[in-house]
Amino acid sequence: MAKIALLSLYDEFCIGMRYVASHMAKHGHPCTIINFKRYNKMEREAAPKDIEDGYLTQVCPRGEVYLDYSTDITPREEEILFEILSEGNFDFVGFSIPSYHAHVAHKYTKIIREKFGLPVIWGGVHATVAAEDCVKTADYVAVGEGEELFLELIQLLESGGNPAEAAIPGLWVRRPGQEPIRGESRMPPKELDDLPFPQYDPLNEYLIEDGRLYHNEPLVFSQLHWTYKMVTGRGCPYFCSFCVWSTIKRDMPETKKLRRRSPQNAIDEIIAVRKKNPQLMMIEFEDDIFTVQKDWLDEFAPLYKKHVGLPFWCYTYPAFVNDYNLEVLKDMGIAYITMGVQSGSDRINYEVFDRRTERKRVLAAMELIAKHDILANYDIITNNPYETDEDRMQTLTLLANIPGRFNLHMGKLAWFPGTTISVRAASEGKLRAADEDLYRFWNALYLMAQHRLATEEQLVEMTRNEELRKNPEVLWSILNRFADLSDLQREAEQLRSQTESLRAERDSFRAKYESLSGRRVVRVGTKVADSVKSIVGAAS
């Protein structure tokens, strides 16, 4: 029996790692999950000026925000990690690596190997799309889905085998001073129902944050406390050039087919986790396109409504937005939905992003979502060096015409390792080549369109104003004031809500009192109170 420590960097949800942990535990190898720091955001203005490239950057009315940011690790937090590893008597350490935290993994892998002499394996998205980078530091790299691979590796090591000679599919092996062993592509698990549910065991899980250790206690400050993220399938039918799936399906063709759990299996997972955490208030389905299969949704929806009934969120794609699907989601209790738009330009979507969906189809999907009164999040990619002013104008006019209730999630184009667009841009000299000053102007107009701070005609006229192009901070000052006003409105709404709640409590108390006022015990109590008042008055 091997004892394994699994480290998740800045992600307490770590769905993939939890699947690995439960699969290993099922086969007699207990895993302890160590969440080394939690998910965090950082305003760009507050971040170090020498920040490395690679973060997901969201553009907001107050400026830019780094998502899933690698906040500093304090000496005390480092000590806590080492104490857990020292006291746990572990045989093996695993890291789950997103690209934007790879530098942290490189640092701590070297420290752990030197300090504890433990072998270290990396898995996750970065390990899959950038194995060459990972194998420079990690002893082993899991390329692709890791449940079966990790188990085979541990079983081999326990039997005294040599991973460099065993040719485990999907496993890369570091050999200092020599070329690494690059395992052949691995077939992913076909039957997802055969995998145990992700591990959520408070006795075998830690969170290191705020200079202290959290263990076996409610993480009320984390979204994990009230929200459950899960996947009902693996894979995506599309090849968007900016997405890691463009890399994975290119390098591992066997992953092209979408695999889905049975509806009952997915429901059973939610039922099981609700028993462990009755505080859950929200389910988030992390599938790339939740609405991709009508028959599956038809079977899942009534089960969800009967056995779960919580508000939920999911992704969709314009081609899978129709009246029927939206009616089903609405009946299930959807809170909001996210749909990728990426650009208002057909040229960009077709020729650069490899998204074969026309602008008119996107607008039709938006109309349907508005018709069913579902709150929508629309994803837009900005700061794209392949865009022209005409492309940007197409996006601006699209945003000015979005119907219904919606939020805009506008992110700067992220250059993930190995993606189709990253490879292309590197070969054409366009990698990270967007004109930041130019997009400072256009991004302000996009946000003004979102919040309806100007009409479409006014926005188009602004694009021709050379003074605004040279001085976009004029527009950002308007956006900042709008954000301040929005904050005040939210605070006022909260006060109104609290006041209404207190009034309701007061009215309820009055009603209860009045219902009792005719009863003998209340009459006696009133007389006693009157007598006490008389005595006190006479004494004074």
Side-chain angles (χ1 to χ4, degrees):
M1 178 185 76
K3 291 187 66 178
I4 302 162
L6 297 177
L7 272 68
S8 175
L9 299 174
Y10 303 95
D11 177 18
E12 60 268 43
F13 288 97
C14 54
I15 299 173
M17 176 173 280
R18 292 181 185 279
Y19 267 109
V20 170
S22 60
H23 188 69
M24 296 301 292
K26 177 183 176 181
H27 290 86
H29 304 288
C31 292
T32 296
I33 293 176
I34 304 172
N35 296 297
F36 198 29
K37 308 287 285 181
R38 66 187 178 98
Y39 174 87
N40 222 318
K41 299 179 181 180
M42 175 71 74
E43 293 183 4
R44 184 176 181 180
E45 290 299 316
K49 298 303 179 184
D50 59 347
I51 187 171
E52 297 181 22
D53 291 326
Y55 281 100
L56 294 172
T57 306
Q58 184 176 0
V59 184
C60 306
R62 283 203 174 91
E64 296 179 2
V65 176
Y66 293 123
L67 306 181
D68 205 356
Y69 181 73
S70 305
T71 52
D72 289 340
I73 296 169
T74 68
R76 178 55 190 150
E77 290 167 343
E78 189 175 274
E79 288 176 7
I80 294 170
L81 172 64
F82 296 157
E83 288 169 4
I84 295 172
L85 293 177
S86 178
E87 296 170 4
N89 296 315
F90 297 108
D91 303 299
F92 213 87
V93 174
F95 276 86
S96 178
I97 312 295
S99 296
Y100 26 87
H101 302 317
H103 62 290
V104 180
H106 278 291
K107 174 183 176 179
Y108 282 95
T109 294
K110 294 174 184 176
I111 294 174
I112 289 169
R113 185 165 48 234
E114 293 171 2
K115 191 176 183 68
F116 300 99
L118 296 174
V120 179
I121 184 171
W122 287 14
V125 175
H126 188 68
T128 296
V129 302
E132 290 287 355
D133 170 65
C134 300
V135 80
K136 295 175 184 176
T137 300
D139 298 295
Y140 307 103
V141 178
V143 177
E145 296 172 29
E147 293 95 347
E148 295 172 348
L149 184 159
F150 199 11
L151 179 60
E152 288 181 26
L153 173 61
I154 294 298
Q155 290 174 337
L156 177 69
L157 291 171
E158 283 198 317
S159 66
N162 184 351
E165 299 174 354
I168 296 176
L171 181 69
W172 288 38
V173 182
R174 185 177 69 94
R175 297 192 300 173
Q178 302 180 62
E179 281 292 301
I181 299 296
R182 300 175 176 87
E184 295 182 357
S185 184
R186 185 184 191 89
M187 290 294 294
K190 291 183 179 179
E191 297 298 330
L192 299 183
D193 281 12
D194 293 340
L195 297 174
F197 300 149
Q199 176 175 301
Y200 284 89
D201 179 1
L203 296 178
N204 287 304
E205 182 163 346
Y206 299 91
L207 170 65
I208 301 171
E209 185 63 82
D210 303 322
R212 59 158 290 190
L213 178 67
Y214 296 87
H215 176 58
N216 197 25
E217 59 183 293
L219 303 178
V220 295
F221 52 82
S222 168
Q223 192 182 2
L224 186 66
H225 184 63
W226 67 86
T227 300
Y228 188 68
K229 296 179 183 282
M230 65 179 294
V231 290
T232 68
R234 299 183 183 183
C236 178
Y238 294 98
F239 291 79
C240 301
S241 65
F242 52 82
C243 177
V244 293
W245 274 116
S246 69
T247 309
I248 294 171
K249 290 195 286 188
R250 179 195 66 211
D251 297 340
M252 296 183 286
E254 60 275 9
T255 63
K256 290 181 179 179
K257 185 177 180 180
L258 177 67
R259 292 158 291 139
R260 206 83 187 257
R261 300 163 61 184
S262 68
Q264 187 62 59
N265 180 263
I267 292 296
D268 288 344
E269 178 185 341
I270 303 174
I271 292 173
V273 79
R274 289 189 75 185
K275 289 179 180 178
K276 295 180 180 179
N277 183 10
Q279 285 77 33
L280 281 181
M281 298 187 296
M282 182 80 175
I283 305 296
E284 295 192 354
F285 295 106
E286 298 288 334
D287 303 58
D288 291 272
I289 306 175
F290 185 70
T291 55
V292 68
Q293 294 169 316
K294 177 182 177 298
D295 292 345
W296 188 92
L297 189 61
D298 283 344
E299 185 178 347
F300 180 81
L303 293 172
Y304 186 88
K305 189 175 180 180
K306 178 180 179 180
H307 298 289
V308 182
L310 291 175
F312 69 94
W313 161 88
C314 68
Y315 282 109
T316 190
Y317 188 87
F320 296 99
V321 174
N322 53 59
D323 277 316
Y324 181 81
N325 280 349
L326 295 175
E327 287 171 2
V328 170
L329 296 176
K330 186 86 171 182
D331 187 58
M332 286 171 59
I334 190 168
Y336 62 101
I337 195 168
T338 294
M339 185 177 79
V341 176
Q342 315 317 347
S343 174
S345 164
D346 283 344
R347 187 188 75 84
I348 292 296
N349 276 328
Y350 273 71
E351 299 178 14
V352 179
F353 291 158
D354 294 336
R355 291 172 65 87
R356 311 301 182 191
T357 304
E358 293 183 340
R359 172 191 172 105
K360 62 182 180 183
R361 181 68 185 88
V362 172
L363 279 168
M366 292 174 167
E367 291 284 357
L368 287 173
I369 293 171
K371 170 185 170 184
H372 290 271
D373 193 30
I374 297 175
L375 176 63
N377 283 347
Y378 294 122
D379 289 342
I380 293 290
I381 294 176
T382 185
N383 292 61
N384 173 7
Y386 286 97
E387 287 186 324
T388 65
D389 262 8
E390 178 57 31
D391 297 317
R392 289 183 278 267
M393 182 69 79
Q394 289 294 313
T395 295
L396 180 63
T397 55
L398 174 72
L399 298 180
N401 285 281
I402 296 177
R405 299 183 297 129
F406 73 96
N407 294 310
L408 193 65
H409 187 283
M410 185 163 62
K412 296 168 72 172
L413 180 57
W415 304 99
F416 291 117
T419 56
T420 302
I421 196 168
S422 293
V423 173
R424 174 184 174 182
S427 68
E428 298 174 351
K430 288 185 174 292
L431 195 65
R432 300 180 179 86
D435 185 332
E436 293 291 324
D437 292 333
L438 176 64
Y439 274 99
R440 184 75 175 159
F441 169 70
W442 282 97
N443 290 343
L445 293 182
Y446 292 160
L447 290 170
M448 293 183 73
Q450 174 197 354
H451 295 292
R452 302 300 187 253
L453 299 180
T455 66
E456 180 181 359
E457 292 76 14
Q458 290 170 333
L459 291 165
V460 171
E461 184 62 31
M462 289 180 197
T463 66
R464 304 187 184 106
N465 189 312
E466 290 301 321
E467 286 302 312
L468 284 178
R469 282 178 174 263
K470 294 177 183 178
N471 301 284
E473 299 312 311
V474 174
L475 301 175
W476 283 99
S477 66
I478 295 172
L479 289 167
N480 287 334
R481 287 199 294 271
F482 168 77
D484 291 340
L485 179 60
S486 297
D487 288 345
L488 289 173
Q489 289 175 333
R490 276 193 293 271
E491 291 174 8
E493 183 59 37
Q494 289 175 356
L495 286 173
R496 281 194 294 270
S497 178
Q498 292 171 2
T499 301
E500 290 174 2
S501 178
L502 289 172
R503 284 174 177 167
E505 290 182 18
R506 178 201 64 188
D507 293 343
S508 175
F509 177 78
R510 282 178 174 175
K512 289 179 181 178
Y513 180 80
E514 289 172 359
S515 69
L516 294 172
S517 61
R519 297 182 184 180
R520 186 172 183 273
V521 65
V522 174
R523 291 198 301 271
V524 171
T526 302
K527 289 181 180 179
V528 170
D530 291 341
S531 299
V532 170
K533 289 180 182 178
S534 299
I535 294 171
V536 171
S540 61

